[in-house]
Amino acid sequence: VNRARMDYAAHRLTMSSEAILDIVYDCGFESPARFYRLFRDRFGVPPAKYRSTRSSIPMRTERPRSPGI
C-alpha cells in the first residue's frame, strides 16, 4: 500500500506545483516525517529534490493563505 501511495505522490510532485504537505496528507500519510523517510528510502532523494530534478513546474514554497488572514 505504501508503495502505491509513494508512486502516486511522486507523480503528483512532478505534475503539479501543489505544496508537498498537501500531497503528503492527500496521499493518506498522517506524519510528514514518515512520508519524507519513506520517500527518500524509495527514490533516493527527498521530495523537493525529486520534484526539482524531474519537473519543469516551479515549486511553490509556501502554502496558500486562507482569505481574511
Side-chain angles (χ1 to χ4, degrees):
V1 174
N2 279 339
R3 177 178 238 165
R5 292 192 294 174
M6 285 288 128
D7 290 344
Y8 182 56
H11 171 74
R12 287 180 64 182
L13 284 168
T14 60
M15 300 305 289
S16 77
S17 61
E18 244 181 307
I20 294 173
L21 278 179
D22 290 339
I23 293 171
V24 169
Y25 294 122
D26 288 347
C27 288
F29 290 91
E30 295 180 10
S31 167
R34 178 165 167 73
F35 170 82
Y36 278 76
R37 184 171 38 84
L38 290 172
F39 194 94
R40 192 173 46 250
D41 289 348
R42 176 145 172 76
F43 296 103
V45 293
K49 177 101 174 169
Y50 183 90
R51 172 181 269 168
S52 69
T53 60
R54 289 177 169 76
S55 176
S56 60
I57 298 171
M59 186 168 66
R60 187 170 73 201
T61 57
E62 294 183 6
R63 294 182 75 157
R65 291 184 165 183
S66 298
I69 294 181

